[in-house]
Amino acid sequence: MRMYDIIEHKKKGMALSPEEIHFVVEGYTKGEIPDYQVSALLMAIYFKGMTLEETATLTMEMAQSGDMIDLSPIEGIKVDKHSTGGVGDKTTIVLAPLVAAVGGKVAKMSGRGLGHTGGTIDKLEAFEGFKVEIPEEDFFKQVNEHHIAVVGQSGELAPADKKLYALRDVTATVDNMSLIASSIMSKKIASGADAICLDVKCGTGAFMKTLADAKALAGAMVDIGNHVGRHTMAIVSDMNQPLGYAVGNALEIIEAIETLKGNGPADLTELTMTLASHMLVLGKVCDTLETARQKVQEVINNGKAIEKLQEWIKLQGGNPAAVLDYSLMPQAQYSKEVVLSQAGYVSAIDAESVGKSALVLGAGRETKESEIDLAVGIVIHKKIGDYIESNDSVATIYYNDLAKCEAAEKILKEAYKVSDEKVQSNTLIYDIIGA
């Protein structure tokens, strides 16, 4: 088999065979096929596309290029949830205890964030002493007995994807739907879940800026998951403004806790309840979405959700007292109100700019080596459709460095658009695919 012939086949729009895809992934991962030939193939794929069978084969080849996590020691159906990322997206912190409190089993491996704020693992470290690495045997035991464990990714998941993505990044071939979908799903499948619930974000703060692209990506990932035997569904949700009000690690944890207590923002509450309901049905804990939603609301109302959160934190070495006493969380030294001179209705908030503002404060990582400041961040007070008086505070910045605060404030002010006419609040959930 020759790489030249494989490139020629795809250039002519032919579907690649499983053997050809295996040859490419294995050869490139081992360093036997040069960058320039794989670059040529990626560009051919970019213009000619891939069939579902090709995309599913590529996904499994990348998944199997590294460690394949075996969750079989955990009893029952293991359901994973993946978000394509956004600003203020703290859904896992709410979802995990909600699903576990109802009876689902959450065995999740999460990464650290490279972007606006930390990932789920970074946020959990706002609980003093929380261990994000635990022995595999303890991980399985914890999920079987307590229904919940979230740890950092162990081993090397989908190294072929990592290498291919780096090449796509410098050859202008990132934005191809088959390549994006297979990249995301290869890591999810390697993580070992039986079923996968996807939250595909759409808008200014998301990778997919348009609804059409977000739906296409969601559909492609659902097709891949189901094609390779993982029951998969997707929710397409809004990211034209931050989810909830808090953006920043400890601040997002506090908002997640309030949501589990029943006091959370309407959008975060609705999205997590919807995701949790689908996860419980996928995991066959509940027969219908209506029953699942009732049970989710029940564990919020009777306090079992917050008890499960405290139990989870304690199991992984964190201080559960922080759930009731927020002074035990990382605290920024200073805060500043952000005011706008113009009165009117908030017509738009550039979610990406809000994320950049938090990044400037130190809430996220610009490189893998960057250190996150868990205490800093932003709490916005006004969202799309809200009215503001002249010199009203639209947000509070929590900071430890004045120069960073000033830079963040400038970005944040420019993120807001104000108009004389009242605009409708954004749709939160645009579509549900594959349920």
Side-chain angles (χ1 to χ4, degrees):
M1 195 173 291
R2 295 194 311 160
M3 189 65 186
Y4 178 94
D5 297 325
I6 294 171
I7 297 168
E8 184 73 15
H9 290 166
K10 183 47 66 178
K11 185 180 77 173
K12 291 178 178 177
M14 296 167 61
L16 302 180
S17 69
E19 292 76 19
E20 287 175 319
I21 294 171
H22 173 78
F23 177 84
V24 173
V25 173
E26 182 179 59
Y28 187 56
T29 305
K30 290 181 176 179
E32 297 168 354
I33 300 174
D35 280 354
Y36 60 82
Q37 284 190 308
V38 179
S39 297
L41 178 61
L42 289 171
M43 192 59 74
I45 290 170
Y46 183 88
F47 284 111
K48 295 298 184 179
M50 299 182 86
T51 65
L52 170 58
E53 288 73 17
E54 285 178 286
T55 307
T57 300
L58 175 61
T59 303
M60 289 305 296
E61 287 292 339
M62 292 195 297
Q64 292 166 353
S65 68
D67 295 327
M68 294 286 286
I69 307 301
D70 179 12
L71 298 181
S72 60
I74 299 171
E75 299 163 5
I77 298 172
K78 279 71 72 177
V79 181
D80 199 0
K81 165 257 166 191
H82 174 77
S83 169
T84 56
V87 181
D89 186 4
K90 71 282 292 179
T91 51
T92 296
I93 313 296
V94 185
L95 269 175
L98 273 183
V99 172
V102 174
K105 289 186 176 175
V106 181
K108 186 163 179 59
M109 296 175 192
S110 291
R112 295 190 180 275
L114 183 61
H116 310 131
T117 59
T120 298
I121 291 300
D122 298 299
K123 290 173 180 136
L124 286 169
E125 288 180 333
F127 292 107
E128 185 181 2
F130 192 96
K131 295 184 182 70
V132 298
E133 294 179 6
I134 58 177
E136 187 178 80
E137 187 178 328
D138 293 347
F139 176 75
F140 294 148
K141 185 179 182 209
Q142 186 172 313
V143 178
N144 275 324
E145 294 181 1
H146 303 277
H147 289 207
I148 185 169
V150 178
V151 295
Q153 288 176 351
S154 60
E156 190 174 21
L157 296 185
D161 170 62
K162 185 177 180 181
K163 191 170 181 180
L164 280 168
Y165 188 90
L167 189 60
R168 288 165 56 206
D169 197 32
V170 295
T171 56
T173 53
V174 167
D175 54 336
N176 171 274
M177 209 59 71
S178 291
L179 296 176
I180 295 169
S182 59
S183 174
I184 294 171
M185 291 301 290
S186 65
K187 293 184 283 289
K188 286 291 98 185
I189 288 164
S191 295
D194 303 308
I196 303 165
C197 180
L198 301 162
D199 179 15
V200 180
K201 302 294 188 185
C202 167
T204 59
F207 182 65
M208 291 298 168
K209 305 297 182 188
T210 69
L211 182 56
D213 283 347
K215 284 185 176 183
L217 176 60
M221 291 195 292
V222 167
D223 285 344
I224 291 169
N226 289 328
H227 193 79
V228 301
R230 311 295 172 95
H231 193 174
T232 307
M233 56 80 57
I235 290 170
V236 181
S237 65
D238 182 65
M239 191 41 70
N240 282 301
Q241 61 181 342
L243 181 64
Y245 294 100
V247 182
N249 300 279
L251 296 171
E252 290 186 39
I253 287 284
I254 291 169
E255 187 167 77
I257 294 169
E258 286 298 311
T259 303
L260 288 167
K261 291 177 180 177
N263 307 320
D267 56 350
L268 177 60
T269 300
E270 177 58 29
L271 181 59
T272 49
M273 288 190 72
T274 302
L275 288 165
S277 299
H278 280 281
M279 288 175 72
L280 289 164
V281 171
L282 283 171
K284 298 190 177 179
V285 177
C286 298
D287 294 331
T288 67
L289 289 171
E290 292 76 16
T291 300
R293 192 177 181 95
Q294 287 171 6
K295 289 185 177 294
V296 170
Q297 188 63 63
E298 200 174 285
V299 296
I300 292 174
N301 293 344
N302 64 21
K304 288 185 178 178
I306 207 72
E307 288 173 9
K308 182 58 71 173
L309 174 65
Q310 290 173 302
E311 179 186 344
W312 170 30
I313 296 163
K314 186 176 181 181
L315 283 166
Q316 293 190 223
N319 183 2
V323 171
L324 302 177
D325 182 0
Y326 298 149
S327 70
L328 297 173
M329 290 283 185
Q331 304 279 316
Q333 296 181 66
Y334 313 104
S335 65
K336 183 175 184 180
E337 300 302 314
V338 178
V339 299
L340 300 181
S341 57
Q342 183 182 352
Y345 294 94
V346 178
S347 58
I349 305 173
D350 188 323
E352 187 172 14
S353 292
V354 176
K356 286 178 180 176
S357 182
L359 178 61
V360 165
L361 289 170
R365 291 185 182 87
E366 295 196 49
T367 69
K368 288 182 180 178
E369 291 72 35
S370 300
E371 286 192 20
I372 285 181
D373 185 340
L374 294 172
V376 302
I378 299 158
V379 175
I380 62 175
H381 308 310
K382 301 292 183 180
K383 298 186 81 169
I384 294 172
D386 290 343
Y387 184 79
I388 55 172
E389 300 282 358
S390 178
N391 294 317
D392 257 3
S393 171
V394 295
T396 302
I397 294 176
Y398 294 88
Y399 68 99
N400 288 320
D401 182 303
L402 181 58
K404 290 180 179 179
C405 173
E406 289 172 347
E409 182 182 19
K410 184 175 184 295
I411 297 169
L412 195 57
K413 283 184 174 182
E414 292 173 354
Y416 272 84
K417 303 297 179 205
V418 179
S419 67
D420 294 331
E421 299 294 324
K422 182 175 174 63
V423 299
Q424 293 296 316
S425 299
N426 290 358
T427 299
L428 177 63
I429 296 174
Y430 293 110
D431 203 357
I432 297 175
I433 298 170

